[in-house]
Amino acid sequence: MDALNCFHCGEPVTTGRQFETLIDNVPQPMCCPGCQAVSAAIIEAGLTNYYKYRTEPGSKQTALVPEALNAFSAFDLKEVQQDFVHQDLHKDKQSASTSLTIDGITCAACAWLIEHKLQHLDGINKIAVNTTTERAQVSWDPEKLKLSEILAQISRIGYQAAPYQVDDEEIQSKKNSRKFLLRLGLAGFATMQVMMFALALYSDYFTDLDVEFRDYFRWVSMIFAAPVVFYSAQPFYFSAVRAMLSGRLNMDVSVSIAICGAYIASCIATVSGQGEVYFESVSMFTFFLLLGRYFEQNARKKASISSNNLHKLIPLTANLLDVDGNQTEVPAKRLKVGDLIMVKPGEVIAADGDIVEGMSCVNEAMLTGEQMPVTKNITSQVYAGTINVDHPIKVQVTATGQDQLVAEIIRLQEAASNNKPKVALYVDTISNYFTWTILVVAALTYLVWKHYWPEDAFWVTLSVLVATCPCALALATPTAVTCATGLFTRLGVVARRTGVFEKLPKVDQVVFDKTGTLTCGSLTLRETKKFTQRFNQDASRDVLAIAAAMESHSIHPIAKAFAPYYQTGYRLDDSQYVAGAGVQAKVNDTRYFLGSADFIRQNTGLTAIDGQHSVYLADNDALLAGFTLSDTVREDAKATLATLKEMGFATCIASGDTSEHVEQVAREVGIENLHKGLKPQDKLKLINQLKDEGKQVVMFGDGVNDAPVLAGANLSVAMGSGADIAKNSADLILLGDQLSRFPQAVRIAKMTEQIIRQNLIWALGYNLLIIPLAVTGHVLPYIAAIGMSASSLIVVANSLRLLKVRL
Amino acid sequence: MSIIYVLIPIAMLFVLVAVGIFFWAVKSEQFDDLDRQSVSILFDDDIKQKPSESSDESTPR
């Protein structure tokens, strides 16, 4: 059979042509009800052009859970809104505005889609979606439209939106980067002009230029170079002053001295009509340096924005019960220890507490990374952030705010990340020595020349400063890192910290968490075994359809595994769920039982159960089928592991899971070394032990429980679909969840390291060669300028080679 | 040759205007989202044909 791909998200369709949407009068296959609902909503709104112009497939949709939509209503509470909604009072009409982060934007067509879908809503004043930052700025009329409705509309076409708070740091960095762009642009314009006049002035060496015109060109150059020196180059002066005040020397010190010295000297030469001018060197030098820094800053800004997008405001609300049993909805931060709260199925538990009434299953994936829900009885502890799966429970709050388990884990993570050894950048150390050397050499040159040939002393010293300008040295690392960051972006790898390019080439030990990294992190049906001949040839289909019908009202992860097999024509009545065990219900008037071996035994008295499957289906008289559910291994896991082994990495699994499944996954991907049943502390211990053995450890993880471990490893990698907190503590994020990107990233980092080394060797070599010549007064001004520019250009060109790498 | 005494100041004026436009463009956030603007022309085309379509569609809902 041909592999069928979902028209919306591009993933393979495993369920046949069960879900279809009519797009441009052609029925297109969809992989799941989620994608089908989203594409239908897009077509219904008349936005077919999205499919025509998009350049990337949409993001995969999980079926919309009605409970998740209800959660939006919390954003309508006044107390929650005051944190992020701004009320603008115009003359006659009211309007509120807020910023939303939007998950799932893959290309510009998404932005268009969201804007057009929302513009049709009554009450929207303005909406602007920014694809780079994955954010939207919305302003609306609160009288006509609720914020929850806006969020619901966005989720209907397949994006998850949530308000967020911009932190001061980001506002500041945005302001800075705009100022930087202004400085850079101005320097660019001025440099072009000054270079033009410089060309005319250089011709003076070959043919005679009238002194009158020469002076005129010099004056014009001086005027054009002035804004560059006084405005564009400011960041270097500030940085130099800051460094000197704190008793250090950095490259900006010699950069500032060179810029100011050359400009002042050139001005003197212009006014007095004697000596040489260096206006073009000054402007070009400034422009190149700014360009390098601008790229560097941009890459860093992008990283800070995407990590800020994770700071979504999650207004956990709780149903507070008073003495009479009345419920009121209150924000979670107002809960106190001892309060009684009601948690309905599908709701997120708002605070740590003990169950006082009811029993249910709780999905603790957010804490442990395991999707299998844990059964909770009266007196069991439940934790904030976990999801109640099947029955309403009453919880007595035992901890709030900073005392909760989640907060504890975050603290553990912070402590671990503070222990990281500070990796000093190459250039910081080199530039310190280099600057000292240049300054000392320049000072000595001045003293010696002053003593013997006083009239030339100033010019020779200046040519030392210009010719040995650390331009190439300053550009060596940032340009290479910028190009590599660009490559990473193309691959879908986000480098969140600056040290990544130094650490990646050194690592030699990879530790994988199992769930969510090697596996997809959601249950799927792996095997169906039927025990009865009663059904006709199509038997496996039928038992599956019965099971799917029985689970159709549940949001349990097991139910999700059956959802693709749902067929119409199976009527469900009288369903009863037993937490952590199973479900019994009538399907088409026959009573069936679906659940664990114990559940079947207790309810039907059947004993011939082999115990090899995770879920069984039975009716009153016979066992019908057994289903094996498991977490599927990621498609590219095996190939990636093979590549890693080839590259000389040692690999191992560190999983919190205790079941057989760990061995199974390990066998499947080819990892021999495995540790199972590890708590977060044990994982941290394992990592530290490996580090003590002299290994450089990379940790892959995705749950909240992995956060401290991620922070403890030399380098950490999180999956794009993982928990937000894991992403916040990771050095690298693999968007699109493709493991195979990691070995590629290592290769790029190795290449980057090589190119940085070449750049530094070249820059230092050039300077070592030119210093003796400059000191002895053998470097003519135009040779100094050409040499300086050429050495920078060579460094930039060498770094650009990285962009040509084909992977 | 003395014409350059007039032409160069005029050229400087042009540069000044160009710098002014650049500053205005940066301050009005035109450089904030470069991916989006490059393709927006594709979409703007069909907005013209859309009002009739969308008004038809939105009434029955």
Side-chain angles (χ1 to χ4, degrees), chain A residues 307-355:
Chain A
S307 77
N308 253 331
N309 278 353
L310 299 177
H311 289 176
K312 277 171 217 152
L313 291 174
I314 304 165
L316 276 180
T317 54
N319 289 307
L320 185 67
L321 292 170
D322 60 18
V323 205
D324 307 322
N326 298 322
Q327 291 185 18
T328 37
E329 199 177 12
V330 296
K333 56 183 172 187
R334 285 222 326 235
L335 288 176
K336 292 184 294 292
V337 174
D339 280 350
L340 269 186
I341 55 173
M342 182 74 176
V343 187
K344 291 181 211 145
E347 275 185 350
V348 176
I349 298 167
D352 285 7
D354 295 325
I355 299 186

Side-chain angles (χ1 to χ4, degrees), chain B residues 1-43:
Chain B
M1 197 56 176
S2 53
I3 189 73
I4 58 167
Y5 286 108
V6 183
L7 288 179
I8 287 179
I10 292 176
M12 288 169 90
L13 267 181
F14 278 131
V15 173
L16 214 64
V17 171
V19 168
I21 292 174
F22 174 71
F23 270 49
W24 166 80
V26 171
K27 289 209 163 123
S28 59
E29 307 195 353
Q30 307 223 355
F31 289 92
D32 278 15
D33 186 3
L34 296 173
D35 307 343
R36 178 75 199 289
Q37 309 310 334
S38 57
V39 285
S40 59
I41 188 163
L42 289 175
F43 295 116

Side-chain angles (χ1 to χ4, degrees), chain A residues 200-254:
Chain A
L201 286 173
Y202 283 143
S203 70
D204 190 22
Y205 286 99
F206 308 110
T207 59
D208 272 340
L209 189 68
D210 286 348
V211 178
E212 182 193 358
F213 289 124
R214 192 197 70 183
D215 284 349
Y216 181 52
F217 287 150
R218 285 180 169 191
W219 276 99
V220 176
S221 301
M222 184 169 86
I223 294 170
F224 272 122
V228 179
V229 173
F230 293 114
Y231 179 71
S232 296
Q234 271 176 12
F236 304 121
Y237 309 150
F238 290 139
S239 154
V241 169
R242 261 200 306 273
M244 285 197 292
L245 285 181
S246 62
R248 286 178 303 116
L249 274 186
N250 63 7
M251 207 125 58
D252 289 335
V253 175
S254 67

Side-chain angles (χ1 to χ4, degrees), chain A residues 70-293:
Chain A
N70 285 342
F72 290 142
S73 68
F75 286 113
D76 291 333
L77 290 178
K78 269 245 159 56
E79 281 156 308
V80 174
Q81 281 204 353
Q82 71 188 14
D83 283 344
F84 57 89
V85 172
H86 306 280
Q87 300 288 345
D88 313 315
L89 278 174
H90 293 295
K91 276 157 252 155
D92 44 350
K93 67 173 183 185
Q94 249 197 339
S95 111
S97 65
T98 190
S99 306
L100 306 173
T101 75
I102 300 184
D103 271 0
I105 291 188
T106 53
C107 65
C110 295
W112 175 84
L113 184 63
I114 296 168
E115 283 182 6
H116 283 252
K117 171 84 179 165
L118 287 191
Q119 266 160 15
H120 292 302
L121 285 183
D122 188 31
I124 289 275
N125 296 336
K126 208 184 121 196
I127 169 149
V129 179
N130 185 325
T131 44
T132 319
T133 54
E134 299 185 4
R135 287 177 186 171
Q137 190 72 37
V138 198
S139 111
W140 75 100
D141 184 348
E143 305 254 297
K144 286 189 195 155
L145 195 65
K146 279 184 180 164
L147 180 58
S148 59
E149 179 57 21
I150 297 175
L151 299 178
Q153 285 292 344
I154 296 177
S155 84
R156 208 153 293 157
I157 48 169
Y159 302 91
Q160 272 76 51
Y164 73 101
Q165 232 167 347
V166 193
D167 60 10
D168 297 340
E169 203 181 319
E170 195 193 316
I171 297 174
Q172 196 58 41
S173 99
K174 194 175 171 187
K175 237 188 238 166
N176 281 344
S177 110
R178 187 168 299 168
K179 232 182 207 163
F180 218 96
L181 190 57
L182 289 179
R183 294 185 205 282
L184 179 67
L186 186 67
F189 277 113
T191 305
M192 281 192 283
Q193 300 301 316
V194 176
M195 285 305 286
M196 208 163 68
F197 296 113
L199 223 62
L201 286 173
Y202 283 143
S203 70
D204 190 22
Y205 286 99
F206 308 110
T207 59
D208 272 340
L209 189 68
D210 286 348
V211 178
E212 182 193 358
F213 289 124
R214 192 197 70 183
D215 284 349
Y216 181 52
F217 287 150
R218 285 180 169 191
W219 276 99
V220 176
S221 301
M222 184 169 86
I223 294 170
F224 272 122
V228 179
V229 173
F230 293 114
Y231 179 71
S232 296
Q234 271 176 12
F236 304 121
Y237 309 150
F238 290 139
S239 154
V241 169
R242 261 200 306 273
M244 285 197 292
L245 285 181
S246 62
R248 286 178 303 116
L249 274 186
N250 63 7
M251 207 125 58
D252 289 335
V253 175
S254 67
V255 165
S256 305
I257 292 176
I259 292 176
C260 293
Y263 187 72
I264 292 167
S266 306
C267 289
I268 293 170
T270 307
V271 175
S272 67
Q274 278 162 10
E276 297 302 332
V277 295
Y278 295 87
F279 293 121
E280 81 289 347
S281 310
V282 171
S283 334
M284 198 162 66
F285 177 32
T286 314
F287 177 66
F288 271 134
L289 277 183
L290 281 174
L291 197 66
R293 303 249 170 122

Side-chain angles (χ1 to χ4, degrees), chain A residues 634-650:
Chain A
R634 279 188 201 283
E635 265 172 35
D636 57 350
K638 194 172 175 189
T640 307
L641 261 296
T643 321
L644 284 176
K645 229 170 244 178
E646 226 169 81
M647 290 167 77
F649 282 93

